[in-house]
Amino acid sequence: GESVGLHLPTLSVQEGDNSIINCAYSNSASDYFIWYKQESGKGPQFIIDIRSNMDKRQGQRVTVLLNKTVKHLSLQIAATQPGDSAVYFCADTGRRALTFGSGTRLQVQP
Amino acid sequence: GAGVSQSPSNKVTEKGKDVELRCDPISGHTALYWYRQRLGQGLEFLIYFQGNSAPDKSGLPSDRFSAERTGESVSTLTIQRTQQEDSAVYLCASSLSSASYEQYFGPGTRLTVT
């Protein structure tokens, strides 16, 4: 069946380092992917998106890479800050609603 | 402007009771979604409303779950005869339209069934 999953449940990085969060998907028909950030006790917050006709998109301190050959996308956060500590979800929109992975918890060590 | 709001923020109920959760989407957003998030898990799609079209109920886990939406405004998710496995955070999201994939989430309602 379709699924969106993440490789690592927890990622710990030092403040100032770059973070890379990975995600695998199985639905070849997915045409749009989104990364969400969820802080404790809050709803998910949109970070960045990418369409299937692109392989890279940059935002402020964040970059999303899409490799359709191996059905893999990643979120890169530059100069990670304490405020980046949260759970990060990738989601695809092959259907009308989002299909979410289980999330990766990013812990930023001071 | 105001974001998506949900009420109550927390709800504790006894097994077997019915509960109603409310979602107020962003004004002007025609699409509204309900998700369930169990502890340490990702988001599980429940139901989707788009304008006056028939809702997509394909994610509802059982007939104890139902949802309504009044026009393009408030939505209520009802869980009848609650079970302990219904304990989760219920998240509502809205978007400008189904074609506008960016969804804006509310803070969620944490439901605990004792």
Side-chain angles (χ1 to χ4, degrees):
Chain A
E2 298 174 1
S3 67
V4 178
L6 296 170
H7 296 298
L8 296 173
T10 302
L11 176 65
S12 185
V13 300
Q14 292 292 318
E15 181 178 356
D17 287 352
N18 296 334
S19 303
I20 299 176
I21 301 171
N22 296 304
C23 179
Y25 65 94
S26 60
N27 182 7
S28 300
S30 294
D31 58 0
Y32 187 68
F33 303 87
I34 308 175
W35 280 99
Y36 279 90
K37 170 186 179 183
Q38 187 175 27
E39 296 175 287
S40 181
K42 297 183 180 180
Q45 178 184 11
F46 173 91
I47 303 174
I48 191 168
D49 57 5
I50 188 168
R51 295 206 175 271
S52 59
N53 61 353
M54 304 170 67
D55 53 21
K56 180 179 181 179
R57 189 165 187 213
Q58 288 185 296
Q60 185 177 16
R61 282 202 307 120
V62 295
T63 301
V64 56
L65 299 178
L66 175 62
N67 185 330
K68 293 180 290 293
T69 302
V70 295
K71 298 179 188 175
H72 178 273
L73 66 159
S74 66
L75 176 70
Q76 300 178 3
I77 304 173
T80 312
Q81 302 170 0
D84 295 328
S85 293
V87 176
Y88 290 81
F89 295 96
C90 64
D92 76 321
T93 57
R95 306 173 187 168
R96 287 178 291 180
L98 298 174
T99 302
F100 284 79
S102 57
T104 292
R105 179 174 299 281
L106 177 65
Q107 297 176 334
V108 182
Q109 307 298 328
Chain B
V4 178
S5 61
Q6 293 185 246
S7 62
S9 56
N10 282 284
K11 177 70 176 179
V12 180
T13 189
E14 293 180 352
K15 177 182 174 181
K17 300 286 188 182
D18 297 351
V19 295
E20 272 193 2
L21 312 180
R22 177 187 169 107
C23 172
D24 284 86
I26 293 173
S27 178
H29 281 195
T30 62
L32 186 147
Y33 309 78
W34 282 98
Y35 296 89
R36 177 170 69 179
Q37 186 175 30
R38 291 198 167 105
L39 185 64
Q41 303 290 316
L43 278 69
E44 176 188 4
F45 166 73
L46 297 177
I47 189 169
Y48 156 71
F49 296 89
Q50 171 58 54
N52 295 319
S53 301
D56 178 352
K57 305 178 182 179
S58 60
L60 294 178
S62 77
D63 58 8
R64 296 188 295 105
F65 288 73
S66 62
E68 293 185 348
R69 187 182 187 192
T70 306
E72 294 183 353
S73 60
V74 172
S75 175
T76 56
L77 176 69
T78 302
I79 308 174
Q80 295 178 311
R81 306 180 301 282
T82 52
Q83 304 294 314
Q84 288 187 329
E85 61 263 27
D86 298 335
S87 296
V89 174
Y90 289 83
L91 288 156
C92 175
S94 69
S95 66
L96 274 173
S97 72
S98 63
S100 175
Y101 293 120
E102 183 172 347
Q103 297 181 16
Y104 297 82
F105 283 83
T109 293
R110 181 176 297 279
L111 175 66
T112 303
V113 182
T114 61

